[in-house]
Coordinates of all heavy atoms in Angstrom, one line a residue:
M1070 N -5.1 -3.5 -7.4 CA -5.5 -3.4 -8.8 C -4.3 -3.0 -9.6 O -4.2 -3.5 -10.7 CB -6.7 -2.4 -8.9 CG -7.2 -2.3 -10.2 SD -8.7 -1.4 -10.2 CE -9.1 -1.2 -11.9
L1071 N -3.5 -2.1 -9.1 CA -2.4 -1.6 -9.8 C -1.4 -2.7 -10.1 O -0.8 -2.9 -11.2 CB -1.7 -0.4 -9.1 CG -0.4 0.1 -9.7 CD1 -0.6 0.7 -11.1 CD2 0.2 1.1 -8.8
L1072 N -1.1 -3.5 -9.1 CA -0.2 -4.6 -9.2 C -0.6 -5.6 -10.2 O 0.2 -6.2 -11.0 CB 0.1 -5.3 -7.8 CG 0.7 -4.4 -6.8 CD1 0.8 -5.1 -5.5 CD2 2.1 -3.9 -7.3
F1073 N -1.9 -6.0 -10.2 CA -2.4 -6.9 -11.2 C -2.4 -6.3 -12.6 O -2.2 -7.0 -13.6 CB -3.9 -7.3 -10.9 CG -4.0 -8.4 -9.9 CD1 -4.2 -8.1 -8.6 CD2 -3.8 -9.7 -10.3 CE1 -4.3 -9.2 -7.7 CE2 -3.8 -10.8 -9.4 CZ -4.1 -10.5 -8.1
T1074 N -2.6 -5.0 -12.7 CA -2.5 -4.3 -14.0 C -1.1 -4.3 -14.6 O -0.8 -4.5 -15.8 CB -3.0 -2.9 -13.9 OG1 -4.4 -2.9 -13.4 CG2 -3.1 -2.2 -15.3
L1075 N -0.1 -4.2 -13.7 CA 1.3 -4.1 -14.1 C 1.8 -5.5 -14.4 O 2.8 -5.6 -15.2 CB 2.2 -3.5 -13.0 CG 2.0 -2.0 -12.7 CD1 2.8 -1.7 -11.5 CD2 2.5 -1.3 -13.9
S1076 N 1.3 -6.5 -13.9 CA 1.8 -7.9 -14.1 C 1.3 -8.4 -15.5 O 0.4 -7.9 -16.1 CB 1.4 -8.8 -13.0 OG 0.0 -9.0 -13.1
G1077 N 2.0 -9.4 -15.9 CA 1.7 -10.0 -17.2 C 0.6 -11.0 -17.2 O -0.2 -11.1 -18.2
N1078 N 0.4 -11.8 -16.1 CA -0.7 -12.7 -16.1 C -1.2 -12.8 -14.6 O -0.7 -12.2 -13.7 CB -0.2 -14.1 -16.6 CG 1.0 -14.6 -15.8 OD1 1.2 -14.3 -14.7 ND2 1.8 -15.5 -16.5
M1079 N -2.1 -13.7 -14.4 CA -2.8 -13.8 -13.1 C -1.9 -14.3 -12.0 O -1.9 -13.8 -10.9 CB -4.1 -14.7 -13.3 CG -4.8 -14.8 -12.0 SD -5.7 -13.3 -11.6 CE -7.1 -13.4 -12.7
V1080 N -1.1 -15.3 -12.4 CA -0.2 -15.9 -11.3 C 0.8 -14.9 -10.9 O 1.1 -14.8 -9.7 CB 0.4 -17.2 -11.9 CG1 1.4 -17.8 -10.9 CG2 -0.7 -18.3 -12.2
S1081 N 1.5 -14.3 -11.8 CA 2.5 -13.3 -11.4 C 1.9 -12.1 -10.7 O 2.5 -11.6 -9.7 CB 3.3 -12.8 -12.6 OG 2.4 -12.1 -13.5
G1082 N 0.7 -11.7 -11.0 CA 0.0 -10.7 -10.3 C -0.3 -11.1 -8.9 O -0.2 -10.3 -7.9
L1083 N -0.8 -12.3 -8.7 CA -1.1 -12.8 -7.4 C 0.2 -12.9 -6.5 O 0.1 -12.5 -5.3 CB -1.8 -14.2 -7.5 CG -2.3 -14.8 -6.2 CD1 -3.4 -14.0 -5.6 CD2 -2.7 -16.2 -6.4
L1084 N 1.2 -13.4 -7.1 CA 2.5 -13.5 -6.3 C 3.1 -12.1 -6.0 O 3.6 -11.9 -4.9 CB 3.5 -14.3 -7.1 CG 3.3 -15.8 -7.2 CD1 4.2 -16.5 -8.1 CD2 3.3 -16.5 -5.8
L1085 N 3.0 -11.2 -6.9 CA 3.4 -9.9 -6.7 C 2.6 -9.2 -5.5 O 3.2 -8.6 -4.6 CB 3.3 -9.0 -7.9 CG 3.8 -7.6 -7.9 CD1 5.3 -7.5 -7.6 CD2 3.5 -6.9 -9.2
Q1086 N 1.3 -9.4 -5.5 CA 0.5 -8.8 -4.5 C 0.8 -9.5 -3.1 O 0.9 -8.8 -2.1 CB -1.0 -9.0 -4.8 CG -1.9 -8.4 -3.7 CD -3.3 -8.6 -4.0 OE1 -3.7 -9.2 -5.0 NE2 -4.2 -8.2 -3.1
F1087 N 0.9 -10.8 -3.1 CA 1.1 -11.5 -1.9 C 2.4 -11.1 -1.2 O 2.4 -10.8 0.0 CB 1.1 -13.0 -2.1 CG 1.4 -13.9 -0.9 CD1 0.4 -14.0 0.0 CD2 2.6 -14.5 -0.8 CE1 0.6 -14.8 1.2 CE2 2.9 -15.2 0.4 CZ 1.9 -15.4 1.3
F1088 N 3.5 -11.2 -2.0 CA 4.8 -10.9 -1.4 C 5.0 -9.4 -1.1 O 5.6 -9.0 -0.1 CB 5.9 -11.4 -2.3 CG 6.1 -12.9 -2.2 CD1 5.9 -13.6 -3.4 CD2 6.3 -13.6 -1.1 CE1 6.0 -15.0 -3.4 CE2 6.5 -14.9 -1.0 CZ 6.3 -15.7 -2.2
G1089 N 4.3 -8.6 -1.9 CA 4.4 -7.1 -1.6 C 3.6 -6.8 -0.3 O 4.1 -6.0 0.5
V1090 N 2.5 -7.4 -0.1 CA 1.7 -7.1 1.1 C 2.4 -7.7 2.3 O 2.4 -7.0 3.4 CB 0.3 -7.6 0.9 CG1 -0.5 -7.7 2.2 CG2 -0.5 -6.8 -0.1
I1091 N 3.0 -8.9 2.2 CA 3.7 -9.5 3.3 C 4.9 -8.6 3.7 O 5.1 -8.3 4.9 CB 4.1 -10.9 3.0 CG1 2.9 -11.8 2.9 CG2 5.1 -11.4 4.0 CD1 2.2 -12.0 4.2
G1092 N 5.6 -8.1 2.7 CA 6.7 -7.2 3.0 C 6.3 -5.9 3.6 O 6.9 -5.5 4.6
L1093 N 5.3 -5.3 3.1 CA 4.8 -4.0 3.7 C 4.2 -4.2 5.1 O 4.5 -3.4 5.9 CB 3.7 -3.4 2.8 CG 4.2 -2.7 1.5 CD1 3.0 -2.3 0.6 CD2 5.1 -1.5 1.8
C1094 N 3.5 -5.3 5.3 CA 3.0 -5.5 6.6 C 4.1 -5.8 7.7 O 4.0 -5.3 8.8 CB 2.0 -6.7 6.6 SG 0.4 -6.3 5.9
Y1095 N 5.1 -6.5 7.3 CA 6.2 -6.7 8.2 C 6.9 -5.4 8.5 O 7.2 -5.1 9.7 CB 7.2 -7.7 7.5 CG 8.4 -8.0 8.4 CD1 8.3 -8.8 9.5 CD2 9.7 -7.5 8.1 CE1 9.4 -9.1 10.3 CE2 10.8 -7.7 8.9 CZ 10.6 -8.6 10.0 OH 11.7 -8.8 10.8
V1096 N 7.2 -4.6 7.6 CA 8.0 -3.3 7.8 C 7.1 -2.3 8.6 O 7.6 -1.5 9.3 CB 8.5 -2.7 6.5 CG1 9.0 -1.4 6.6 CG2 9.5 -3.7 5.9
S1097 N 5.8 -2.4 8.3 CA 4.9 -1.4 9.0 C 4.5 -1.8 10.4 O 3.8 -1.0 11.0 CB 3.6 -1.2 8.1 OG 4.0 -0.7 6.9
G1098 N 4.8 -2.9 10.9 CA 4.5 -3.3 12.2 C 3.2 -4.1 12.4 O 2.7 -4.2 13.5
C1099 N 2.7 -4.6 11.3 CA 1.5 -5.4 11.4 C 1.8 -6.9 11.8 O 0.9 -7.5 12.4 CB 0.7 -5.4 10.1 SG 0.2 -3.8 9.5
I1100 N 3.0 -7.4 11.5 CA 3.3 -8.7 11.8 C 4.3 -8.7 13.0 O 4.2 -9.6 13.9 CB 4.0 -9.4 10.6 CG1 2.9 -9.5 9.4 CG2 4.5 -10.8 10.9 CD1 3.5 -10.0 8.1
Y1101 N 5.2 -7.8 13.0 CA 6.3 -7.8 14.0 C 6.2 -6.4 14.6 O 5.9 -5.4 13.9 CB 7.7 -8.0 13.3 CG 8.8 -8.3 14.3 CD1 8.9 -9.5 14.9 CD2 9.7 -7.3 14.5 CE1 9.9 -9.8 15.7 CE2 10.8 -7.6 15.4 CZ 10.9 -8.9 16.0 OH 11.9 -9.2 16.8
P1102 N 6.4 -6.2 15.9 CA 6.2 -4.9 16.6 C 7.1 -3.8 16.0 O 8.3 -4.1 15.7 CB 6.7 -5.2 18.0 CG 6.5 -6.6 18.2 CD 6.8 -7.3 16.9
I1103 N 6.5 -2.7 15.7 CA 7.3 -1.6 15.0 C 8.4 -1.1 15.9 O 9.4 -0.6 15.4 CB 6.3 -0.5 14.6 CG1 6.9 0.5 13.6 CG2 5.7 0.2 15.8 CD1 7.2 0.0 12.3
S1104 N 8.2 -1.2 17.2 CA 9.2 -0.7 18.1 C 10.5 -1.5 18.1 O 11.6 -1.0 18.6 CB 8.7 -0.7 19.6 OG 8.3 -2.0 20.0
A1105 N 10.5 -2.6 17.5 CA 11.7 -3.5 17.4 C 12.6 -3.0 16.2 O 13.8 -3.4 16.2 CB 11.4 -4.9 17.3
F1106 N 12.1 -2.2 15.4 CA 12.9 -1.8 14.2 C 13.7 -0.5 14.5 O 13.3 0.2 15.4 CB 11.9 -1.5 13.0 CG 11.3 -2.7 12.4 CD1 10.0 -3.0 12.6 CD2 12.1 -3.6 11.7 CE1 9.4 -4.1 12.1 CE2 11.5 -4.7 11.1 CZ 10.2 -5.0 11.3
P1107 N 14.7 -0.2 13.7 CA 15.4 1.0 13.9 C 14.6 2.2 13.6 O 13.5 2.1 13.0 CB 16.6 0.9 12.9 CG 16.6 -0.5 12.5 CD 15.3 -1.1 12.7
M1108 N 15.0 3.4 14.1 CA 14.2 4.6 14.0 C 13.9 5.0 12.5 O 12.8 5.4 12.2 CB 14.9 5.8 14.7 CG 14.0 7.0 14.8 SD 12.4 6.7 15.6 CE 12.8 6.4 17.3
A1109 N 14.9 4.7 11.7 CA 14.7 5.1 10.2 C 13.6 4.2 9.6 O 12.7 4.7 8.9 CB 16.0 4.8 9.5
V1110 N 13.5 3.0 10.0 CA 12.4 2.1 9.5 C 11.1 2.5 10.1 O 10.0 2.5 9.4 CB 12.7 0.6 9.8 CG1 11.6 -0.3 9.4 CG2 14.0 0.2 9.1
Q1111 N 11.1 2.9 11.3 CA 9.8 3.3 12.0 C 9.3 4.6 11.3 O 8.1 4.8 11.1 CB 10.1 3.6 13.5 CG 10.3 2.4 14.3 CD 10.6 2.7 15.7 OE1 10.2 3.8 16.2 NE2 11.2 1.8 16.4
Q1112 N 10.2 5.5 11.0 CA 9.8 6.7 10.3 C 9.3 6.5 8.9 O 8.3 7.1 8.4 CB 10.9 7.8 10.3 CG 11.2 8.3 11.6 CD 12.5 9.2 11.6 OE1 13.2 9.2 10.7 NE2 12.7 9.8 12.8
L1113 N 9.9 5.5 8.2 CA 9.5 5.1 6.8 C 8.1 4.4 6.9 O 7.2 4.7 6.1 CB 10.5 4.2 6.2 CG 10.1 3.6 4.9 CD1 10.0 4.6 3.8 CD2 11.0 2.5 4.5
A1114 N 7.9 3.6 7.9 CA 6.7 2.9 8.0 C 5.5 3.8 8.2 O 4.3 3.4 7.8 CB 6.8 1.9 9.2
A1115 N 5.7 4.9 8.8 CA 4.6 5.9 9.1 C 4.0 6.4 7.7 O 2.9 6.9 7.7 CB 5.0 7.0 10.0
W1116 N 4.8 6.4 6.7 CA 4.4 6.9 5.4 C 3.9 5.8 4.4 O 3.4 6.1 3.3 CB 5.5 7.7 4.8 CG 5.8 8.9 5.5 CD1 6.8 9.1 6.5 CD2 5.1 10.2 5.5 NE1 6.7 10.4 7.0 CE2 5.7 11.0 6.4 CE3 4.0 10.6 4.7 CZ2 5.2 12.3 6.6 CZ3 3.6 11.9 4.9 CH2 4.2 12.8 5.9
L1117 N 4.1 4.6 4.7 CA 3.7 3.5 3.9 C 2.2 3.3 4.0 O 1.6 3.6 5.1 CB 4.4 2.2 4.2 CG 5.9 2.2 3.9 CD1 6.5 0.9 4.5 CD2 6.2 2.4 2.5
P1118 N 1.5 2.8 3.0 CA 0.0 2.6 3.1 C -0.4 1.6 4.2 O -1.4 1.9 4.9 CB -0.3 1.9 1.7 CG 0.8 2.2 0.8 CD 2.0 2.4 1.6
T1119 N 0.4 0.6 4.4 CA 0.0 -0.3 5.5 C 0.3 0.3 6.9 O -0.4 0.0 7.9 CB 0.8 -1.6 5.4 OG1 2.2 -1.3 5.2 CG2 0.3 -2.5 4.2
G1120 N 1.3 1.1 7.0 CA 1.6 1.9 8.2 C 0.4 2.8 8.6 O 0.0 3.0 9.7
I1121 N -0.1 3.5 7.5 CA -1.2 4.5 7.7 C -2.4 3.7 8.1 O -3.2 4.1 9.0 CB -1.4 5.3 6.5 CG1 -0.2 6.2 6.3 CG2 -2.6 6.2 6.6 CD1 -0.2 7.0 5.0
A1122 N -2.7 2.5 7.5 CA -3.8 1.7 7.8 C -3.7 1.2 9.2 O -4.7 1.2 10.0 CB -4.0 0.6 6.8
R1123 N -2.5 0.8 9.7 CA -2.4 0.3 11.1 C -2.6 1.4 12.0 O -3.3 1.2 13.1 CB -1.0 -0.3 11.2 CG -0.7 -0.9 12.6 CD 0.7 -1.3 12.8 NE 1.7 -0.2 12.7 CZ 1.9 0.7 13.7 NH1 1.2 0.6 14.8 NH2 2.7 1.7 13.5
H1124 N -2.1 2.6 11.7 CA -2.4 3.8 12.6 C -3.9 4.1 12.6 O -4.4 4.5 13.7 CB -1.6 5.0 12.1 CG -1.7 6.1 13.0 ND1 -2.5 7.2 12.8 CD2 -1.1 6.5 14.2 CE1 -2.5 8.1 13.7 NE2 -1.6 7.7 14.6
Y1125 N -4.5 4.0 11.5 CA -6.0 4.3 11.4 C -6.7 3.4 12.3 O -7.6 3.8 13.1 CB -6.4 4.3 10.0 CG -7.9 4.4 9.8 CD1 -8.5 5.7 10.0 CD2 -8.7 3.3 9.5 CE1 -9.9 5.8 9.9 CE2 -10.1 3.5 9.4 CZ -10.7 4.7 9.6 OH -12.0 4.8 9.5
L1126 N -6.4 2.1 12.2 CA -7.1 1.1 13.0 C -6.9 1.3 14.5 O -7.8 1.2 15.4 CB -6.8 -0.3 12.6 CG -7.4 -0.8 11.4 CD1 -6.9 -2.2 11.0 CD2 -8.9 -0.9 11.5
S1127 N -5.6 1.6 14.9 CA -5.3 1.8 16.3 C -6.0 3.0 16.9 O -6.4 3.0 18.0 CB -3.8 1.8 16.5 OG -3.2 3.0 15.9
T1128 N -6.1 4.1 16.1 CA -6.8 5.3 16.6 C -8.3 5.1 16.6 O -9.0 5.7 17.4 CB -6.4 6.5 15.8 OG1 -6.6 6.3 14.4 CG2 -4.9 6.9 16.0
A1129 N -8.8 4.3 15.6 CA -10.2 4.1 15.6 C -10.7 3.3 16.8 O -11.8 3.6 17.3 CB -10.6 3.4 14.3
F1130 N -9.9 2.4 17.3 CA -10.3 1.6 18.4 C -10.0 2.3 19.8 O -10.5 1.9 20.8 CB -9.5 0.3 18.4 CG -10.0 -0.7 17.4 CD1 -9.2 -1.3 16.5 CD2 -11.4 -1.0 17.3 CE1 -9.6 -2.2 15.6 CE2 -11.8 -1.9 16.4 CZ -11.0 -2.5 15.5
S1131 N -9.3 3.4 19.7 CA -9.0 4.1 21.0 C -9.8 5.4 21.1 O -9.5 6.3 21.9 CB -7.5 4.4 21.1 OG -7.1 5.3 20.1
D1132 N -10.8 5.6 20.2 CA -11.7 6.8 20.2 C -10.9 8.1 20.0 O -11.3 9.2 20.4 CB -12.5 6.9 21.5 CG -13.5 5.8 21.7 OD1 -14.0 5.4 20.6 OD2 -13.9 5.5 22.8
A1133 N -9.8 8.0 19.4 CA -9.0 9.2 19.0 C -9.4 9.7 17.6 O -10.1 8.9 16.9 CB -7.5 8.9 19.1
S1134 N -9.0 10.9 17.2 CA -9.3 11.4 15.9 C -8.5 10.7 14.9 O -7.2 10.6 15.0 CB -9.1 12.9 15.9 OG -9.3 13.4 14.6
A1135 N -9.1 10.1 13.8 CA -8.4 9.4 12.8 C -8.5 10.0 11.4 O -8.4 9.3 10.4 CB -8.9 7.9 12.8
W1136 N -8.9 11.3 11.4 CA -9.2 11.9 10.1 C -7.9 12.0 9.2 O -8.0 11.9 8.0 CB -9.8 13.3 10.3 CG -11.2 13.1 10.8 CD1 -11.7 13.4 12.0 CD2 -12.3 12.7 10.0 NE1 -13.0 13.1 12.1 CE2 -13.4 12.7 10.9 CE3 -12.5 12.2 8.7 CZ2 -14.7 12.3 10.5 CZ3 -13.8 11.9 8.3 CH2 -14.9 11.9 9.2
G1137 N -6.8 12.3 9.9 CA -5.5 12.4 9.1 C -5.1 11.1 8.4 O -4.7 11.0 7.3
S1138 N -5.3 10.0 9.2 CA -5.0 8.7 8.6 C -6.0 8.3 7.5 O -5.6 7.7 6.5 CB -5.0 7.6 9.7 OG -4.0 7.8 10.7
L1139 N -7.2 8.6 7.7 CA -8.2 8.3 6.7 C -8.0 9.1 5.4 O -8.1 8.6 4.3 CB -9.6 8.6 7.2 CG -10.8 8.3 6.3 CD1 -10.8 6.8 6.0 CD2 -12.1 8.8 6.9
G1140 N -7.5 10.4 5.6 CA -7.2 11.2 4.4 C -6.0 10.6 3.7 O -6.0 10.6 2.5
G1141 N -5.0 10.2 4.4 CA -3.8 9.5 3.8 C -4.2 8.3 3.1 O -3.7 8.0 1.9
L1142 N -5.1 7.5 3.6 CA -5.5 6.3 2.9 C -6.3 6.6 1.7 O -6.1 5.9 0.6 CB -6.4 5.4 3.9 CG -5.6 4.7 5.0 CD1 -6.6 4.0 5.9 CD2 -4.7 3.7 4.4
M1143 N -7.1 7.6 1.7 CA -7.9 8.0 0.5 C -6.9 8.6 -0.6 O -7.1 8.3 -1.7 CB -8.9 9.1 0.9 CG -10.0 8.6 1.7 SD -10.9 7.3 0.8 CE -11.3 6.2 2.1
L1144 N -5.9 9.3 -0.2 CA -4.9 9.8 -1.2 C -4.2 8.6 -1.8 O -4.0 8.6 -3.0 CB -3.9 10.7 -0.5 CG -4.4 12.1 -0.2 CD1 -3.4 12.9 0.6 CD2 -4.8 12.9 -1.5
Y1145 N -3.7 7.7 -1.0 CA -3.1 6.5 -1.6 C -4.1 5.7 -2.5 O -3.7 5.3 -3.6 CB -2.6 5.5 -0.5 CG -1.2 5.7 -0.1 CD1 -0.8 6.1 1.2 CD2 -0.1 5.6 -1.0 CE1 0.5 6.3 1.6 CE2 1.2 5.7 -0.6 CZ 1.5 6.1 0.6 OH 2.8 6.3 1.0
T1146 N -5.3 5.6 -2.1 CA -6.3 4.9 -3.0 C -6.5 5.6 -4.3 O -6.5 5.0 -5.4 CB -7.6 4.8 -2.2 OG1 -7.4 4.1 -1.0 CG2 -8.7 4.1 -3.1
L1147 N -6.6 6.9 -4.3 CA -6.8 7.7 -5.5 C -5.6 7.6 -6.4 O -5.7 7.5 -7.6 CB -7.2 9.1 -5.2 CG -8.6 9.3 -4.6 CD1 -8.8 10.8 -4.2 CD2 -9.6 8.9 -5.6
A1148 N -4.4 7.7 -5.8 CA -3.2 7.7 -6.6 C -3.0 6.3 -7.2 O -2.7 6.2 -8.4 CB -2.0 8.0 -5.7
F1149 N -3.2 5.2 -6.5 CA -3.0 3.9 -7.1 C -4.1 3.6 -8.1 O -3.8 2.9 -9.1 CB -3.1 2.8 -6.0 CG -1.8 2.8 -5.1 CD1 -1.9 2.5 -3.8 CD2 -0.6 3.1 -5.7 CE1 -0.8 2.5 -3.0 CE2 0.6 3.1 -4.9 CZ 0.5 2.8 -3.6
L1150 N -5.3 4.0 -7.9 CA -6.4 3.8 -8.9 C -6.1 4.6 -10.2 O -6.3 4.2 -11.3 CB -7.7 4.2 -8.4 CG -8.4 3.2 -7.4 CD1 -9.7 3.7 -6.9 CD2 -8.6 1.9 -8.1
A1151 N -5.6 5.8 -10.0 CA -5.2 6.7 -11.2 C -4.1 6.0 -12.0 O -4.1 6.0 -13.2 CB -4.8 8.1 -10.8
L1152 N -3.1 5.5 -11.2 CA -1.9 4.8 -11.9 C -2.4 3.6 -12.6 O -2.0 3.3 -13.7 CB -0.8 4.5 -10.9 CG 0.0 5.7 -10.5 CD1 0.9 5.3 -9.3 CD2 0.8 6.2 -11.6
A1153 N -3.3 2.8 -12.0 CA -3.8 1.6 -12.6 C -4.6 1.9 -13.9 O -4.5 1.3 -14.9 CB -4.7 0.8 -11.6
L1154 N -5.4 3.0 -13.8 CA -6.1 3.5 -15.0 C -5.2 3.9 -16.1 O -5.4 3.5 -17.3 CB -7.1 4.6 -14.6 CG -7.9 5.2 -15.8 CD1 -8.9 4.1 -16.3 CD2 -8.6 6.4 -15.3
L1155 N -4.1 4.6 -15.8 CA -3.2 5.0 -16.8 C -2.5 3.8 -17.4 O -2.3 3.8 -18.6 CB -2.1 6.0 -16.1 CG -1.0 6.5 -17.0 CD1 -1.6 7.5 -18.0 CD2 0.0 7.2 -16.2
V1156 N -2.1 2.9 -16.6 CA -1.4 1.7 -17.2 C -2.4 0.9 -18.0 O -2.0 0.4 -19.1 CB -0.8 0.8 -16.0 CG1 -0.4 -0.5 -16.5 CG2 0.3 1.5 -15.3
R1157 N -3.6 0.8 -17.6 CA -4.6 0.0 -18.4 C -4.9 0.7 -19.7 O -5.0 0.1 -20.8 CB -5.9 -0.1 -17.6 CG -7.1 -0.7 -18.3 CD -6.8 -2.2 -18.5 NE -6.5 -2.9 -17.3 CZ -6.9 -4.1 -17.0 NH1 -7.7 -4.7 -17.9 NH2 -6.6 -4.7 -15.9
V1158 N -5.0 2.0 -19.7 CA -5.2 2.8 -21.0 C -4.0 2.6 -21.9 O -4.2 2.4 -23.1 CB -5.5 4.3 -20.7 CG1 -5.4 5.1 -21.9 CG2 -6.8 4.4 -20.0
R1159 N -2.8 2.7 -21.4 CA -1.6 2.5 -22.2 C -1.5 1.1 -22.8 O -1.1 0.9 -23.9 CB -0.3 2.8 -21.4 CG -0.2 4.3 -21.2 CD 1.1 4.6 -20.4 NE 2.3 4.1 -21.1 CZ 3.1 4.9 -21.8 NH1 2.8 6.2 -21.9 NH2 4.1 4.4 -22.5
K1160 N -1.9 0.1 -22.0 CA -1.9 -1.3 -22.5 C -3.0 -1.5 -23.5 O -2.7 -2.2 -24.5 CB -2.1 -2.3 -21.3 CG -0.9 -2.6 -20.5 CD -1.1 -3.7 -19.5 CE 0.2 -4.1 -18.8 NZ -0.1 -5.2 -17.9
T1161 N -4.1 -1.0 -23.4 CA -5.2 -1.3 -24.3 C -5.1 -0.5 -25.6 O -5.5 -0.9 -26.7 CB -6.6 -1.0 -23.7 OG1 -6.7 0.3 -23.2 CG2 -6.9 -2.0 -22.5
T1162 N -4.5 0.7 -25.5 CA -4.4 1.5 -26.7 C -3.1 1.2 -27.5 O -3.0 1.6 -28.6 CB -4.4 3.0 -26.4 OG1 -3.3 3.3 -25.5 CG2 -5.7 3.5 -25.9
G1163 N -2.2 0.4 -26.9 CA -1.0 0.0 -27.6 C 0.1 1.0 -27.6 O 1.0 0.9 -28.4
I1164 N 0.0 2.1 -26.8 CA 1.0 3.1 -26.7 C 2.2 2.6 -25.9 O 2.1 2.4 -24.7 CB 0.4 4.4 -26.1 CG1 -0.7 4.9 -26.9 CG2 1.5 5.5 -26.0 CD1 -1.5 6.1 -26.3
E1165 N 3.2 2.3 -26.5 CA 4.4 1.8 -25.9 C 5.6 2.7 -26.2 O 5.6 3.3 -27.3 CB 4.8 0.4 -26.3 CG 3.7 -0.6 -26.0 CD 3.6 -0.9 -24.5 OE1 4.7 -0.8 -23.8 OE2 2.5 -1.2 -24.0
R1166 N 6.5 2.9 -25.4 CA 7.7 3.7 -25.7 C 8.8 2.8 -26.1 O 9.0 1.7 -25.8 CB 8.2 4.5 -24.4 CG 7.2 5.6 -24.2 CD 7.8 6.4 -23.0 NE 6.8 7.5 -22.8 CZ 7.1 8.6 -22.2 NH1 8.3 8.7 -21.6 NH2 6.3 9.5 -22.0

């Protein structure tokens, strides 16, 4: 929602979301094994939203506790929704810098 709010029109929003998600999924180990990346990328992937979602799914299927990952996903969700709301309010009220 934030990416569509930031974009100027529907096509650019769709392309921004598509390429952003593909890039995040690749770096987070959803498309390519995370163990093949350098340690710095592996540590960064653990903090990205797609990396947290991948960890949440892997722990949910292995009967391990996934509350930390779920909390991280909820924090990202709230932060992105708040930013989208802020951008939307600034665009509709015409407050520009």
Side-chain angles (χ1 to χ4, degrees):
M1070 185 171 171
L1071 175 63
L1072 295 177
F1073 277 101
T1074 306
L1075 288 172
S1076 66
N1078 58 26
M1079 182 71 76
V1080 174
S1081 63
L1083 186 66
L1084 288 172
L1085 182 62
Q1086 179 185 1
F1087 178 75
F1088 288 118
V1090 168
I1091 291 296
L1093 283 173
C1094 285
Y1095 179 74
V1096 170
S1097 296
C1099 299
I1100 297 173
Y1101 195 73
I1103 192 72
S1104 59
F1106 289 108
M1108 189 55 68
V1110 175
Q1111 291 179 20
Q1112 291 172 349
L1113 173 69
W1116 293 97
L1117 294 174
T1119 50
I1121 295 174
R1123 185 186 59 80
H1124 183 264
Y1125 174 73
L1126 283 175
S1127 66
T1128 55
F1130 287 128
S1131 66
D1132 290 334
S1134 176
W1136 290 106
S1138 297
L1139 184 63
L1142 287 174
M1143 291 299 142
L1144 285 175
Y1145 267 117
T1146 301
L1147 291 175
F1149 288 144
L1150 284 175
L1152 285 172
L1154 180 66
L1155 179 68
V1156 170
R1157 177 65 58 140
V1158 166
R1159 287 181 60 100
K1160 279 187 173 183
T1161 57
T1162 57
I1164 300 173
E1165 299 287 331
R1166 286 187 179 195

